[in-house]
Amino acid sequence: QVQLVESGGGWVQAGGSLRLSCAASGRLFSMNVMGWYRQAPGKQRELVATITSGGSTDYAESVKGRFTISRDNAKNTVYLQMNSLKSDDTAVYYCNADISLPGRPEKFIYWGQGTQVTVSS
């Protein structure tokens, strides 16, 4: 059973920084596209950033220049460095991964349990 476990959320004042981590555990063959999403109260879940296995990245306009997504393939881990945080960044952050399993041709989408980020203005 593959699991994604997030860590690093918490409370921070506006202008501060946080670093989120998401580690995959279990028997997997490879991790393909990985990403971070967030969901604020009363709003739909939205894409924050993605990174391919080759390191290509994409960001939501609202976080460009402030957030950086990265990954460590050897550790099956994806990170989200969040700088210059704003109150609008307050949300539950979820990691997401497109994973290949041993002996299976199809890919599977996994989600983490979410980690709360609260930015106080």
Side-chain angles (χ1 to χ4, degrees), residues 13-28:
Q13 286 190 325
S17 299
L18 284 174
R19 188 191 194 209
L20 306 182
S21 300
C22 173
S25 62
R27 191 165 174 262
L28 59 92

Side-chain angles (χ1 to χ4, degrees), residues 6-7 20-22 34-38 46-50 69-70 78-80 93-96 111 115:
E6 298 130 337
S7 60
L20 306 182
S21 300
C22 173
M34 304 179 75
W36 288 95
Y37 291 71
R38 66 186 182 187
E46 64 175 1
L47 175 67
V48 176
T50 60
I69 188 170
S70 61
V78 62
Y79 305 96
L80 186 69
Y93 284 71
Y94 298 89
C95 73
N96 164 284
W111 289 90
T115 185

Side-chain angles (χ1 to χ4, degrees), residues 6 20 22 32-39 45-53 55-71 78-82 89 92-98 110-111:
E6 298 130 337
L20 306 182
C22 173
N32 307 304
V33 179
M34 304 179 75
W36 288 95
Y37 291 71
R38 66 186 182 187
Q39 187 166 19
R45 190 173 298 189
E46 64 175 1
L47 175 67
V48 176
T50 60
I51 184 167
T52 68
S53 56
S56 296
T57 59
D58 194 19
Y59 297 92
E61 285 296 325
S62 60
V63 306
K64 279 184 179 178
R66 299 188 298 122
F67 290 11
T68 302
I69 188 170
S70 61
R71 63 191 286 168
V78 62
Y79 305 96
L80 186 69
Q81 178 66 43
M82 305 185 293
D89 296 318
V92 177
Y93 284 71
Y94 298 89
C95 73
N96 164 284
D98 176 357
Y110 288 88
W111 289 90

